[in-house]
Amino acid sequence: MNEAINRYLEKHGFEQLCLKAVLFDMDGVIYDSMPNHARSWHQAMETVGIHMEESEAYLYEGMRGVETIKLKARQQWGREISDEEAKHMYDIKATVFSQCPPALKMKGIEELMRQIKDDGLKICVVTGSGQRTMLDKLMTDFKGLVQQDLIVSSFDVTRGKPAPDPYLAGMQKTGVKPWEALVVENAPLGVQAAVAAKCFTIAVNTGPLPDHELRDKGAAIVLPDIRSLIIQWNLLRKHLYPYQHHA
């Protein structure tokens, strides 16, 4: 952990890591929802004549839905489609997704969030999702941990991940600088976005992609699950702001 932090500081020329906020991705980090998304993307896109393997959902995860659809249309149809066309297709995907079984919380995520809150840090959710059912679910499932005004979704930015805009918006909402933010991601494009925003980025590989897909995008550390991050949190606590001595 210390080596990863030192590499991060040296890369960006920052003096120290002084954590004030943790910015969480949602799908695959807070909720075990990616299998539902993968099936929904495949089924919905087939209905409009676009082929999309379930595995591709993990590669494009974090990108705004309309941007994913425009990309696939460009690849397969050789033309640009309008925002209206893309939104119509995304609405089909959202309908299919709403019929999936409810996604469960990731094991350990609530425990981790409570620890972060107890340590005095802000929590912000930064997602490329526009699934209102999932965004509303956050407020009931994580009452007291997630605030409505500290959620960044596809409705808040015009450029989604891998552009840094979502994490820049998250830092703006929490009032922190890059060296004061920790990002927890699970997707290559999400990692790329967080790294572009100059945040210290930990990847939890909760999907089927090999670890190198996350490391190659710049993740400082790659962990297998949220439980592993809880263990690592004790090492990160000495970087909290204001500085305190933690047992």
Side-chain angles (χ1 to χ4, degrees), residues 105-176:
K105 298 176 186 177
M106 276 291 182
K107 292 180 179 178
I109 188 63
E110 194 165 2
E111 178 185 345
L112 176 60
M113 283 186 173
R114 291 195 184 283
Q115 180 65 68
I116 289 167
K117 278 284 191 179
D118 289 344
D119 285 333
L121 280 72
K122 294 180 180 179
I123 290 174
C124 182
V125 177
V126 180
T127 176
S129 177
Q131 306 282 172
R132 292 195 180 275
T133 54
M134 292 297 292
L135 297 173
D136 292 341
K137 186 175 167 61
L138 276 171
M139 300 307 298
T140 54
D141 285 353
F142 295 93
K143 188 175 181 180
L145 296 172
V146 175
Q147 300 174 213
Q148 185 72 55
D149 61 339
L150 293 182
I151 297 175
V152 177
S153 73
S154 65
F155 302 110
D156 297 301
V157 295
T158 54
R159 293 196 311 166
K161 305 170 186 178
D165 303 34
Y167 283 109
L168 294 175
M171 285 190 284
Q172 183 176 25
K173 287 194 174 192
T174 52
V176 301

Side-chain angles (χ1 to χ4, degrees), residues 18 28 31 38 48-49 84 110 151 204 229 245:
C18 307
Y31 288 112
V48 298
E84 290 73 19
E110 194 165 2
I151 297 175
V204 287
L229 181 51
H245 294 290

